[in-house]
Amino acid sequence: TPKENVTCLPRLDHNRALGQVAQKAGVPVSDVKNCIIWGNHSSTQYPDVNHGLVCGKPIREVIGDDVYLNGEFVTTVQQRGAAIIAARKLSSALSAASSVCDHVRDWIAGTPEGTWTSMGVISPGGDQAYGIAEGLMYSFPVTCENGKWKIVQGLPIDERSRSLMDATARELAEEKAMAEELIAAM
């Protein structure tokens, strides 16, 4: 199977990030775009709003509360699944199913012009992967066209973001090493 045909699904987290921003801004989710989920589908994932827009304006400008965006927003997105399970004693299966549909639709039909989504793909490494190690399955901002995905290039990464992106990459590298050890032991 070609590496580019293997993806994973941070889309549920991506949709949750869009929803949290929309709720805080008091707008429909359709007015929010280009949030990013970097890294793992775990509590180390990094929900990033630094390049996102609300009604065409930067999210940080519209929300006007960096303390919220750097704190409560991040932890809410990271822990939303666990909070739903704790409250309902059930998973958010319908949200997950909807996210699968969104993921496949964007991958096959394409992302709208000027819009990206978050997709876990096998990192090509180097600058084209924001310094994330080659071969690591990692969530990046991507655009899709004609059934092909492409990592969004050239986004400036601040020091805080770099640190959070690297933390989730370390966790994924540890998980990859454990999986490789188990496979080798079989």
Side-chain angles (χ1 to χ4, degrees), residues 78-91:
Q78 289 172 332
Q79 299 171 6
R80 183 71 178 142
I84 289 170
I85 291 168
R88 298 182 61 227
K89 309 292 187 249
L90 297 167
S91 71

Side-chain angles (χ1 to χ4, degrees), residues 119-132:
M119 187 180 283
V121 301
I122 298 174
S123 174
D127 291 341
Q128 63 184 336
Y130 295 91
I132 301 304

Side-chain angles (χ1 to χ4, degrees), residues 5-32:
N5 291 350
V6 178
T7 66
C8 69
L9 190 69
R11 186 58 180 260
L12 180 56
D13 305 307
H14 180 89
N15 288 351
R16 287 175 175 155
L18 295 174
Q20 290 296 311
V21 170
Q23 182 178 17
K24 189 76 169 176
V27 300
V29 173
S30 59
D31 287 345
V32 182

Side-chain angles (χ1 to χ4, degrees), residues 8-11 13 36-48 118-121 132 136-141 164-172 175:
C8 69
L9 190 69
R11 186 58 180 260
D13 305 307
I36 303 167
I37 302 297
W38 296 100
N40 201 359
H41 175 69
S42 76
S43 62
T44 68
Q45 69 177 251
Y46 171 39
D48 179 2
S118 299
M119 187 180 283
V121 301
I132 301 304
L136 197 63
M137 179 64 80
Y138 191 96
S139 176
F140 293 97
L164 293 167
M165 291 165 65
D166 289 347
T168 193
R170 280 191 299 275
E171 179 185 58
L172 283 164
E175 291 176 3

